[in-house]
Amino acid sequence: MNALDTTTPIGATLALLPELLLTGWSLVVLLVVAWRHEGERDSRFAGWLSFAGILLSLAAVLGMWHGDWHSEGIAHMVALDSFRYASATLILLLAGASTLLSLRYLGRQRLLAPEYYPLILFATIGMLVMAAATDLILIFLGLEVMSVAVYVLSGFDRYRRSSAEAALKYFLIGAFASSFLLYGIALIWGATGQTNLSLIAAQLAGGAPTMASLGLGLLLIGFGFKVSAVPFHMWAPDVYDGAPTPVTGFMATGVKAAAFVALVRVLDQGFIAQAHQWQPVIGVLAVATILVGNITALAQESLKRMLAYSSVAHAGYLLVAAWPGTAFGSGAVLFYLAAYCVTTLASFGILAAIEHVGSRTVLIDDLEGLFSKRPWGATSLAVCLLSLLGFPGTFGFVGKWYIISSVLREGSWILPVAVAVGSLISIGYYLPVITAMTFKPERTIDAHRQVAFSRAGKAIVAMAVLLILLFGVWPTALLNSAVRSARTLAPQAVVTEVP
Amino acid sequence: MTAPIIGLVWVVVALPLLGAVLNGLIAVLRPQAKSAVSVIGPGVLVGAFIMAAAVVVGLAGLPPDAPQVVRIWPWLVAGRLDVDIAFLVDRLSAVMLLVVTGIGSLIHIFSIGYMRSDEGYARYFAYLNLFVVFMLVLVLGSNMPVVFIGWEGVGLASYLLIGFWFSDEQNAAAGKKAFLVNRIGDFGFLVAMFLVWNHVGALDFSTVLGAPWVPGGALVTAVTLFLFLGCAGKSAQIPLYVWLPDAMAGPTPVSALIHAATMVTAGVYLVARTGLLFAAAPLSSAVVAGIGALTALFAATIGLRQYDIKKVLAYSTVSQLGYMFVGVGAGAYAAGIFHLVTHAFFKALLFLGAGSVIHAMHHAYHATHSHDDAQDMRNMGGLRRYLPVTWVLMWIATLAIAGVPPFSGFFSKDEILGAAFARGAAGQPIYYVFYAMLVVAAFITAYYMARLMAMTFHGASRATAAEREQLHEAPWSMTGPLIVLGIGSAVAGVLNLPTLVGGHAWLEHWLEPVTGIATRLSGFRPVAGNHEAVLVGLAVLVGVAGLIAGFRATTARALVPAREAAPDTGLARLVYHKFYVDELYERFIVRPIVTFSRVFLWRIFDQGVVDGVAVNGSARLFRGIGWLGSRLQSGQVGLYIVVFVVGAIWILRTILG
């Protein structure tokens, strides 16, 4: 049927179809912006052009998913399974939404520069590769492609010191973390002679030598940095705060999604036999991340910084879902990623619309009386925050519910308690925002004059809110799809031993 | 054989939901677009009625013992708990479906004329549509949680509509009272649900009813008693009836739809739905019947001395609900449902007729700038000359409720009386007492209804000449539904014509597959034919006597308008003040609780312990830790790297074990 032999050139090319399409398209966009970069109109044209490329790539992914393309034998380099397709769909949707949210923002905040949209596309390609890779080398390549683009994007606001500082910090610590990852890959190769996840699993089925364990530990550190797990999270608030808001949204969702799906694939496909070794690490990281993220978020006065810490806390919940290593747990990772990403991206989209031109720190107190002036915007933000909080009837609640039930199945009770306690603490910083918006009067007569939603921004936010409410009451189909996708992660049977 | 139309039962619920959303949007965005509201609001109900009729026709074509469960979507799945949003279409819910959408349609149409001049017209219809949505969910739910959604939802809609004119504090308080009293009942429902879950491990009706309950066992008795507590709250039975008379603060069509025809009968429906449980718990059944009989008598007595036309009808509703509970308590589930149906017709008619009267009086007062009470019967009198259509229709309803043949109420009330008597004859003498109470209540019912008619429509008019000139019949959109209800009140008895007069007891046969087993299990045996004839004769005699006595007693006295009337004295005063039950509750329940909660729970426990120590204390603690964490977040890359490396060393140490 649609079986591809990924060892042949034609098979490998077809297997990378969405990535290749997007790469080609991004080169076209690069050429276009090299010639046309005069004003806001040109920038918006580039934005729409990039959006079209993302849609094209998305069509390829959906076509492969629908056509049930799979690999003959084990997947060399590139996976052809629904876990990849589901992750790629999510990543492309996030990239598309981020592109649309940027359209007006760049002009408004005078951030017009031709390279913005190509960089978004490059980062997206990196994320797609991470989601697809079944080989540690390819994962690393995807990660670096994504990271370099995101380093530049986070320092995009060249006129602000904080943005430049953020980019530099991100780059320094990122490079430091990448070296851990690369050294981990090297040790694993040294111990097993393999970089393909399924082949590694075959080698390590009977137990891991010290060298391989050390490599796994180093991998976990590298991924811990990318998903902003405590104690590797300290860059995240500074970088999220300094980057232009649509970029922050893209980083907090897309980068995290890509890192998590790659992590889950590495753990479930390559090191499932070592679960007893990595589970304690993941568990402790999860608890620490939940507690530190939530508690530090309490002390924030800036909305953006608060959301940054909250995104750290959510990485903790996702780690909890990654802990069981079962199809149900990894399905919960996918499901919660969808819930978290939709909600977080919409929150940052709303924040981008609220920001003043120039001075961009929005304090929570600045939102007072937003409801009476912009009822729809305030309501949408409230729905998003309630979903992040895990309020019943929202997407986020169902996500947390499934995380807890997937972990309970494996008999852990500390992790569910941590999730519950974390959610409880998070009430302390989500609800004050809603209170400020609804129950307090605006401070000045012309407060909230600056709030400007673009038409695309409105559409994105409205769609996100509808999804949050829809999946809050009707989650079954999505969850079943997530669990089915996660089932494809099991290590593939190795037929021929590669020497 | 399957009837695909039944799978479309969700449309019946979706249509009013659509109406609620559209009207809600209009209420927010363009409140002056009343024409659109007039089309959408009643339109969706009529559509729902047609759809419901189609579903019932589809159901009638199926074998009788084949309930149809329509799964909409899986809802809660956690461990053993597996709850679907699913609708149960069987012959019992079919009856309720038709009553809710049918009577609902008529009342929606009536509302066009009644509420047209109100500012909150769109909001009114949004709430009313929403009520119908939840009511349909309640009667269609195939498991207890879904029923509970409807149960809470109708409570919410009722709260919103009682306090519809919320700017008047009294109305808002009435809404709050209804809400709080119903919470007590809901507590019972929840506890029953937990007990069922604990014992059966499932919550859908087919599994729950089919579970091996020990007849007369403590568990089934507890479950049914808690269920009945819920029913007593929703259906306004002693001791939780106090909210319903206050609920008359809402617009009159609301009183007709929610507080007479549909929502308050939900308790009766629930007992019939779970009839197999009640049949296995004779003690609970006796409690149900006993509370019902007591309520029927007690509330009827209060109705004797009320002057507010809606208050009389409110107590009458409480009393009639008591009748229904005696029916289902005695095991004659079909009889209870039958009375539910006929009562829906004649009580909706009485309320809408009262609405028509109030509308006319209000209009007259408005035109003459008078501030008299448009609902006080002492200000009325002689209205039959001005409202002839309403007058005739109200008499039909009065004859129906008084149990005069051949009007509908005669047949249904008679069946309940017969059922109580039959249980007495079947070796449970306590039911003879209930029977006697109901007979007395029937006399009082006829008496207060005749009094109402006499004070309102007969005798000399007590309105001023200027006001009389302004009195006129309501528009067709209001009298039309009244006429339809009038026809229903007159002839709905044919639904279940007893075999004694050559009928086929059609409704009883229709419900047989649902309630028949429970009825047989409960030990209910119908009385023999010649006995029945005697009982029927007695009931008719009592009703007619009550009517004549009430009418003559009222017309014999010269009535004066409310502002000139002397306050009642003695026993009359006690009854007028509803036996001071509200005041007793206030003194012995509400005030101690309020004092306790204010002094202890609020000042000491909440403000001191919870707020002071737990909430603010822990918030301060966490904020402090958070602040410390933020200090650590100094922006120094070097520090970040140090923390990073510490973490890395810990991970490597752990993984090497």
Side-chain angles (χ1 to χ4, degrees):
Chain A
M1 284 240 303
N2 296 313
L4 295 178
D5 183 356
T6 48
T7 52
T8 63
I10 182 81
T13 309
L14 280 177
L16 276 169
L17 190 61
E19 290 78 6
L20 291 175
L21 280 176
L22 197 58
T23 311
W25 195 278
S26 63
L27 295 177
V28 172
V29 175
L30 199 57
L31 278 177
V32 169
V33 298
W35 267 275
R36 295 189 56 181
H37 53 263
E38 285 311 313
E40 201 177 342
R41 251 191 93 221
D42 287 350
S43 165
R44 287 166 81 149
F45 175 73
W48 282 110
L49 193 66
S50 312
F51 185 67
I54 289 165
L55 286 187
L56 182 71
S57 180
L58 182 62
V61 171
L62 293 178
M64 291 166 81
W65 197 358
H66 183 73
D68 195 22
W69 287 24
H70 56 275
S71 61
E72 255 178 26
I74 63 160
H76 289 274
M77 292 295 173
V78 186
L80 288 162
D81 54 27
S82 18
F83 190 76
R84 171 196 171 187
Y85 303 140
S87 326
T89 307
L90 178 64
I91 288 166
L92 285 167
L93 288 176
L94 293 172
S98 305
T99 310
L100 293 187
L101 286 176
S102 308
L103 288 175
R104 271 277 287 280
Y105 186 85
L106 295 182
R108 216 161 92 90
Q109 303 285 5
R110 298 192 195 89
L111 294 173
L112 294 173
E115 64 271 26
Y116 183 84
Y117 293 108
L119 284 170
I120 294 264
L121 291 184
F122 292 150
T124 310
I125 294 164
M127 293 170 191
L128 290 181
V129 171
M130 285 175 77
T134 58
D135 193 287
L136 290 175
I137 296 293
L138 198 58
I139 290 178
F140 185 74
L141 279 179
L143 188 119
E144 285 304 298
V145 169
M146 170 186 86
S147 299
V148 172
V150 173
Y151 296 150
V152 181
L153 278 173
S154 61
F156 201 74
D157 191 351
R158 278 160 296 189
Y159 305 107
R160 287 179 72 207
R161 280 185 54 191
S162 66
S163 190
E165 189 187 327
L168 185 66
K169 259 184 218 167
Y170 194 18
F171 171 66
L172 284 176
I173 309 176
F176 187 64
S178 290
S179 63
F180 279 83
L181 198 67
L182 196 57
Y183 195 41
I185 295 172
L187 287 179
I188 290 166
W189 182 77
T192 63
Q194 305 295 348
T195 51
N196 182 291
L197 292 174
S198 297
L199 297 178
I200 290 171
Q203 290 273 333
L204 298 182
T210 310
M211 191 150 70
S213 301
L214 206 57
L216 174 61
L218 293 171
L219 282 188
L220 289 178
I221 295 165
F223 278 115
F225 168 78
K226 276 294 160 202
V227 303
S228 68
V230 172
F232 315 115
H233 71 291
M234 300 189 78
W235 58 275
D238 293 356
V239 173
Y240 286 179
D241 200 22
T245 306
V247 173
T248 309
F250 187 50
M251 283 197 296
T253 58
V255 173
K256 200 158 282 182
F260 260 105
V261 294
L263 171 66
V264 165
R265 187 185 287 279
V266 167
L267 293 179
D268 290 8
Q269 209 162 44
F271 296 93
I272 196 64
Q274 279 67 47
H276 63 280
Q277 278 178 291
W278 53 258
Q279 272 181 344
V281 175
I282 297 282
V284 172
L285 287 187
V287 174
T289 308
I290 290 172
L291 291 182
V292 171
N294 278 314
I295 292 174
T296 339
L298 278 178
Q300 305 308 317
E301 282 160 6
S302 142
L303 181 61
K304 199 171 177 184
R305 259 189 114 75
M306 184 273 270
L307 285 173
Y309 278 105
S310 116
S311 105
V312 171
H314 284 274
Y317 304 137
L318 285 160
L319 282 171
V320 171
W323 178 84
T326 58
F328 207 72
S330 304
V333 172
L334 271 186
F335 188 86
Y336 198 76
L337 266 179
Y340 159 79
C341 289
V342 166
T343 317
T344 304
L345 196 62
S347 310
F348 279 109
I350 296 168
L351 176 62
I354 294 176
E355 284 176 356
H356 281 274
V357 174
S359 108
R360 244 163 284 151
T361 309
V362 178
L363 298 182
I364 291 167
D365 295 343
D366 293 342
L367 297 176
E368 286 175 1
L370 184 66
F371 183 78
S372 57
K373 287 286 166 76
R374 308 293 304 228
W376 292 106
T379 309
S380 307
L381 184 55
V383 170
C384 291
L385 294 178
L386 287 176
S387 175
L388 287 173
L389 167 61
F391 196 78
T394 61
F395 205 173
F397 169 75
V398 184
K400 277 188 186 144
W401 170 290
Y402 281 117
I403 288 182
I404 288 178
S405 72
S406 76
V407 177
L408 280 177
R409 277 179 177 214
E410 303 306 309
S412 163
W413 59 269
I414 298 177
L415 293 176
V417 168
V419 173
V421 169
S423 307
L424 203 65
I425 298 174
S426 70
I427 294 173
Y429 57 87
Y430 289 130
L431 282 194
V433 179
I434 298 177
T435 319
M437 289 194 299
T438 47
F439 293 122
K440 294 194 180 152
E442 55 267 42
R443 291 183 168 173
T444 53
I445 292 176
D446 57 350
H448 312 310
R449 272 258 182 85
Q450 84 287 356
V451 178
F453 282 96
S454 65
R455 210 170 302 155
K458 271 183 195 165
I460 298 278
V461 170
M463 217 146 34
V465 168
L466 286 181
L467 286 180
I468 289 168
L469 297 176
L470 173 71
F471 290 125
V473 291
W474 183 68
T476 319
L478 190 69
L479 183 86
N480 287 344
S481 165
V483 174
R484 258 202 312 279
S485 301
R487 276 218 181 95
T488 59
L489 271 187
Q492 288 163 309
V494 179
V495 187
T496 48
E497 202 62 33
V498 180
Chain B
M1 181 178 129
T2 55
I5 187 79
I6 292 177
L8 291 177
V9 69
W10 59 270
V11 177
V12 182
V13 184
L15 277 173
L17 183 62
L18 181 72
V21 170
L22 290 179
N23 285 328
L25 284 177
I26 292 175
V28 175
L29 302 175
R30 301 196 54 196
Q32 67 278 26
K34 293 190 173 177
S35 312
V37 175
S38 308
V39 174
I40 298 170
V44 291
L45 251 280
V46 174
F49 176 64
I50 294 169
M51 195 63 210
V55 168
V56 174
V57 168
L59 182 74
L62 295 182
D65 50 351
Q68 303 289 313
V69 175
V70 181
R71 285 182 49 157
I72 311 294
W73 71 71
W75 177 34
L76 293 173
V77 184
R80 286 190 304 149
L81 181 65
D82 186 355
V83 178
D84 294 340
I85 299 282
F87 292 152
L88 174 64
V89 183
D90 67 358
R91 294 182 157 199
L92 179 57
S93 56
V95 171
M96 295 301 290
L97 209 55
L98 290 179
V99 170
V100 172
T101 55
I103 308 275
S105 298
L106 294 172
I107 291 171
H108 274 68
I109 294 169
F110 181 88
S111 299
I112 299 176
Y114 194 83
M115 297 298 290
R116 182 84 197 187
S117 54
D118 197 281
E119 280 172 24
Y121 190 61
R123 182 166 60 96
Y124 171 82
F125 269 105
Y127 290 166
L128 211 57
N129 284 165
L130 187 70
F131 165 76
V132 174
V133 173
F134 283 121
M135 190 67 208
L136 290 171
V137 170
L138 195 166
V139 298
L140 283 173
S142 86
N143 54 53
M144 296 176 88
V146 173
V147 171
F148 192 68
I149 294 178
W151 191 267
E152 289 295 298
V154 290
L156 169 73
S158 152
Y159 166 75
L160 291 171
L161 282 163
I162 294 170
F164 182 73
W165 291 304
F166 54 81
S167 47
D168 186 346
E169 197 183 336
Q170 207 187 340
N171 297 347
K176 202 163 70 183
K177 184 172 177 185
F179 204 73
L180 289 179
V181 173
N182 267 296
R183 291 279 76 66
I184 301 174
D186 295 341
F187 159 78
F189 192 131
L190 278 177
V191 172
M193 198 148 72
F194 296 153
L195 285 174
V196 165
W197 166 250
N198 200 25
H199 177 66
V200 184
L203 290 169
D204 62 294
F205 283 119
S206 59
T207 316
V208 170
L209 297 179
W213 299 95
V214 181
L219 187 70
V220 71
T221 306
V223 168
T224 45
L225 283 179
F226 277 116
L227 265 186
F228 179 61
L229 180 62
C231 299
K234 191 72 45 196
S235 297
Q237 296 296 293
I238 289 174
L240 300 180
Y241 71 93
V242 288
W243 65 270
L244 186 57
D246 285 24
M248 296 301 133
T252 306
V254 169
S255 312
L257 178 62
I258 301 185
H259 306 118
T262 55
M263 182 185 86
V264 290
T265 62
V268 181
Y269 165 77
L270 190 65
V271 175
R273 168 63 71 205
T274 54
L276 278 171
L277 298 187
F278 279 90
L283 176 67
S284 304
S285 290
V287 169
V288 171
I291 294 280
L294 197 63
T295 310
L297 184 57
F298 184 71
T301 319
I302 298 177
L304 281 174
R305 296 301 302 182
Q306 298 304 310
Y307 294 111
D308 184 322
I309 185 167
K310 283 180 74 180
K311 283 275 162 71
V312 177
L313 294 178
Y315 282 104
S316 159
T317 304
V318 175
S319 164
Q320 294 297 312
L321 289 165
Y323 275 94
M324 298 176 209
F325 276 110
V326 175
V328 292
Y333 300 100
I337 295 294
F338 182 33
H339 197 53
L340 187 160
V341 174
T342 59
H343 176 258
F345 279 107
F346 61 67
K347 190 49 69 62
L349 174 55
L350 284 171
F351 265 112
L352 294 189
S356 177
V357 168
I358 295 165
H359 188 73
M361 294 298 290
H362 186 76
H363 186 77
Y365 286 154
H366 192 71
T368 57
H369 306 289
S370 168
H371 291 289
D372 280 330
D373 186 353
Q375 302 191 12
D376 196 313
M377 295 190 295
R378 285 172 296 192
N379 296 337
M380 300 173 183
L383 287 179
R384 72 171 187 275
R385 280 190 295 282
Y386 308 100
L387 304 167
V389 181
T390 310
W391 174 62
V392 171
L393 292 168
M394 289 279 276
W395 261 117
I396 293 177
T398 302
L399 293 174
I401 193 175
V404 175
F407 297 97
S408 59
F410 160 73
F411 296 101
S412 54
K413 188 187 277 188
D414 202 60
E415 273 196 32
I416 289 173
L417 289 174
F421 190 86
R423 285 303 288 267
Q428 282 170 297
I430 185 79
Y431 279 88
Y432 281 134
V433 180
F434 300 158
Y435 170 76
M437 287 160 85
L438 289 191
V439 171
V440 176
F443 178 81
I444 300 175
T445 304
Y447 189 99
Y448 67 65
M449 282 313 300
R451 170 175 173 272
L452 181 149
M453 293 305 293
M455 284 182 88
T456 309
F457 290 101
H458 295 265
S461 174
R462 291 178 291 283
T464 62
E467 287 160 4
R468 280 201 290 265
E469 270 179 24
Q470 298 290 335
L471 288 170
H472 59 81
E473 191 69 83
W476 272 106
S477 69
M478 289 166 68
T479 45
L482 287 184
I483 292 171
V484 178
L485 287 171
I487 296 170
S489 305
V491 305
V494 300
L495 282 177
N496 205 22
L497 221 48
T499 42
L500 187 69
V501 293
H504 297 287
W506 180 81
L507 186 70
E508 203 177 319
H509 285 127
W510 169 259
L511 288 175
E512 163 73 24
V514 186
T515 60
I517 303 173
T519 299
R520 281 189 291 281
L521 202 70
S522 68
F524 173 78
R525 302 276 176 284
V527 275
N530 49 351
H531 279 106
E532 198 182 343
V534 174
L535 291 178
V536 171
L538 179 67
V540 173
L541 209 63
V542 164
V544 173
L547 280 177
I548 294 171
F551 197 81
R552 299 193 67 161
T554 313
T555 47
R557 286 195 303 147
L559 286 159
V560 289
R563 59 180 175 279
E564 298 160 21
D568 286 315
T569 50
L571 188 63
R573 183 185 168 84
L574 179 68
V575 179
Y576 174 70
H577 286 287
K578 310 145 201 167
F579 297 106
Y580 293 101
V581 170
D582 276 328
E583 286 73 10
L584 285 173
Y585 280 9
E586 169 75 24
R587 178 74 192 81
F588 289 105
I589 299 176
V590 177
R591 213 175 300 158
I593 290 180
V594 168
T595 310
F596 176 74
S597 38
R598 181 165 299 157
V599 174
F600 179 75
L601 289 181
W602 182 40
R603 294 256 164 74
I604 298 176
F605 189 72
D606 193 49
Q607 288 200 325
V609 179
V610 176
D611 279 2
V613 179
V615 176
N616 290 338
S618 65
R620 259 197 296 276
L621 177 73
F622 280 126
R623 250 176 232 289
I625 300 175
W627 181 81
L628 276 180
S630 295
R631 291 305 96 196
L632 202 61
Q633 192 84 35
S634 61
Q636 297 298 315
V637 178
L639 179 67
Y640 294 3
I641 297 275
V642 168
V643 176
F644 190 119
V645 170
V646 170
I649 291 171
W650 175 81
I651 286 187
L652 293 180
R653 217 190 74 87
T654 312
I655 208 149
L656 291 177

